Amino acid sequence: MTFFKKYKTHYSATMRLAYPVMISQVGHPLVGFSASIILGHFAGTVPLAALAIANGFFNLMLIIAIGISYGITPLVARENGAGNYRECGRLLWHSVVVNILTGLMLLIITWFGGQYLIAHIGLDAAVVAQAKPLLVLLGLSIIPLMLFLSFKQFAEGLGFTRLAMQVSIWGNVINIVVGIILVKGLFGMPAMGAKSIGYSAIIDRGLMAVVMATFVLKKHRFNKFLQGCRPFQFNVGRFKKILATSVPIVLQNIFEISAFSAAVFIVGIIGARQLAAYQIAMNYLSFIYYAVNGIGTAAAIQTGYFLGQAKFYLLRVSALASYHLTIIFHLVTGGLLLVLKSVLPKVISVDLQVVSMVGNLFIIAAGLEVFDGLQVVSLGILRGLGDLKYPVLINLAAYWGVALPVAFALGLHTPMGLTGVWLGLYSGLLVASALLYLRFRHLVNAKYFADNVPAAQEHLFNNVVQLES
C-alpha cells in the first residue's frame, strides 16, 4: 500500500469536516478585526480605544465560553460512533443547561468585575465612559452566543459542519452591516459610538442562536438523535461528564492565550513601536490559529467517532492524516506570510519602522507557526480520545515554564528585543507540540493499538465511514 493510497480517504474525510469549521472559526477574529476598522474609520480614536479596553477583558470571557461549549463535541462523536443515538440528544440538552449557566456566570463577572476594573485602573475618563456600557452589552451577548454554541458543537460532533459554517458566515455579515448602521446613525438611527459594536453583537448572536437551534430541532437528519429525548430530564452524571471534558479545555486555552497576553507587557517595556508591531502580527496570526482549529476539531470528531466504533487502526491513521494536513496548511500560509510580509502590515499601520518589524516577525512565523498548528491538532486528537489532564499540565509547563521565561530572558536581557520575545513564545509552542505528539504516540502504542496491523484489516481503508457534513 503506497503512502498516499494509505491516507487518501482520510485526507478527504478530514477536509470535508474541517473546511466549514475553518471558515466559521475565522469568524471569531474577523468580528473583532471588522469592529476595529468600523470604529477607526467612522467613530474616531476614543471609541476605538474603548473597544480595545472592553475586548481586553471580554476576550478572556470568550475563551472560557468557547472552551466550555467544546466539551460536548467529542462526547457526541463517540456516542454516535457507538450507535448510541439517543444519548447524543440527551447530551445536547445537558450541554444547553451547562452553557447557559456558564453564560450567566460570565455575564455577572463582566457586569460587576469588568466595569469595576475598567473604572479603577487609571484610564482616560472619556475612554472609560464608552468602554463600560460596551462591556455590559458584550456581556449580554454571551447568553445567545452560548445557546448558539450548544447547537453548533452538537451538530459538529455529529459531522454536520457545513450547517454551522453557513450560519456563522451570515451572522458575521449581519454583525458588520448592523455595526456600520449604528456607528454612522443611518436610516434615522442615532449614532451610538462604541456601543454600536455591543448592540450589533447582541443582534447577530441572537439571530444565530435562533437559526441554529431551529435547524437542529426541525431538520429530519437530527430526528434519530433527538427522538424520545426529553429536554428537562436531567442526570447529574451527564453534567459531570460534560464538565470533565470542557473544564480542562478551558484551562488549556487559558494557559496558552494568557502567556501570549502576558508577553504584551514584556514587549511594552521594550518600546511602543515594538508593541504596535507585536499587536499587528498577532492580529494576522490569529486568523491562521483559528483556521487550523478547524483541522483540530475535525480530528477530535473523527477520533471520537472511531473510538466509539472501536476501529482503532482507522483512528490512528486518521489522526496521522490530520498531522499531514496541518503541515501542508502551514506550508501554504507560511508562503503567504513571506510574500505579503510588506503588504499586510500597511493595512493597519503607516509607520514604516513598525511595518518592517512586523515583516521580520512574519519571516519567523512562516517557519515556526507550524508548531502552533501541530499542538492544536494534537489537543483535538487527545480530546477525542478523552485524554484531558495531561494536556493541561503540558500546556502549563510549555507556556508558563518555557515560553514566558525564555521570552523574558531573550527580550529584556539580550539585544534581540522583540525578536527574542517572539522566539521565546515559539519555543513554548515547539515544546507543547512535541510533548502532546509524544502523548498521542504513547496512547496509540500502549493503550489502544499495535504498530502493525494484519493485512486482512487493510480493506478497512476502503470502507472508512464518511461523516456527513
Side-chain angles (χ1 to χ4, degrees), residues 6-15 17 295 297-307 311-326 377 381 440 444 449 461 464-465 467:
K6 179 178 180 180
Y7 292 101
K8 178 181 177 182
T9 305
H10 296 279
Y11 290 149
S12 59
T14 300
M15 285 310 301
L17 285 171
I295 301 177
T297 299
I301 294 168
Q302 292 196 113
T303 300
Y305 186 81
F306 288 132
L307 181 62
K311 291 183 177 178
F312 302 129
Y313 186 41
L314 290 179
L315 189 159
R316 180 180 183 273
V317 179
S318 173
L320 293 175
S322 297
Y323 283 116
H324 301 163
L325 291 170
T326 301
V377 170
I381 294 167
F440 159 70
V444 164
F449 320 102
F461 288 115
V464 60
V465 174
L467 299 181

Side-chain angles (χ1 to χ4, degrees), residues 85 91 106 186 275 303 320 322 332 369 397 415 425:
Y85 302 130
L91 286 169
L106 296 177
L186 300 177
L275 184 58
T303 300
L320 293 175
S322 297
V332 174
E369 185 65 17
L425 293 174

Side-chain angles (χ1 to χ4, degrees), residues 302-372:
Q302 292 196 113
T303 300
Y305 186 81
F306 288 132
L307 181 62
Q309 288 196 324
K311 291 183 177 178
F312 302 129
Y313 186 41
L314 290 179
L315 189 159
R316 180 180 183 273
V317 179
S318 173
L320 293 175
S322 297
Y323 283 116
H324 301 163
L325 291 170
T326 301
I327 293 172
I328 294 170
F329 172 79
H330 281 288
L331 286 173
V332 174
T333 55
L336 290 173
L337 288 176
L338 291 176
V339 172
L340 301 174
K341 64 183 178 67
S342 299
V343 177
L344 294 177
K346 292 178 182 177
V347 175
I348 301 177
S349 176
V350 295
D351 188 319
L352 293 182
Q353 290 187 48
V354 171
V355 169
S356 176
M357 290 178 191
V358 176
N360 291 333
L361 297 182
F362 279 176
I363 292 172
I364 297 171
L368 300 181
E369 185 65 17
V370 64
F371 296 117
D372 197 9

